[in-house]
Amino acid sequence: MDITTPNLNSLFAQLGLPNSDQAIADFIAQHKMADNTHIANADFWNQSQRHFIKESLEEDAQWTEVIDQLDAQLRA
């Protein structure tokens, strides 16, 4: 059983990305998505990251709320 607390830092770790607060802020500043782009289809994810995001959203997994938060920040 996964006991990871779902937050942006743990999501970034799960995606294999640097997960410090500054690294997350930098990522969000450098990556933006068009309004009509689904987060799983953003061009900056690798195949494994896309799969994790898509599967988490489809299964309404514990990560869904955090992925939604990231989605909103990538569109701001």
Side-chain angles (χ1 to χ4, degrees), residues 3 5-6 9 15 32 35-36 38 48 71:
I3 58 170
T5 302
N9 300 85
L15 293 170
K32 297 298 178 188
D35 287 339
N36 61 346
H38 187 277
S48 176
D71 185 296

Side-chain angles (χ1 to χ4, degrees), residues 10-73:
S10 56
L11 175 62
F12 272 65
Q14 186 72 26
L15 293 170
L17 297 169
N19 67 332
S20 70
D21 291 342
Q22 185 61 53
I24 293 168
D26 291 345
F27 182 93
I28 291 168
Q30 295 169 8
H31 299 87
K32 297 298 178 188
M33 297 186 311
D35 287 339
N36 61 346
T37 301
H38 187 277
I39 188 168
N41 296 328
D43 61 4
F44 43 80
W45 303 125
N46 66 34
Q47 183 177 4
S48 176
Q49 293 164 333
R50 273 190 193 93
H51 178 75
F52 175 80
I53 291 169
K54 185 176 185 233
E55 186 175 84
S56 294
L57 292 172
E58 286 174 353
E59 295 177 2
D60 198 23
Q62 68 177 354
W63 296 105
T64 301
E65 186 175 323
V66 180
I67 293 169
D68 288 344
Q69 290 172 1
L70 178 59
D71 185 296
Q73 292 181 37

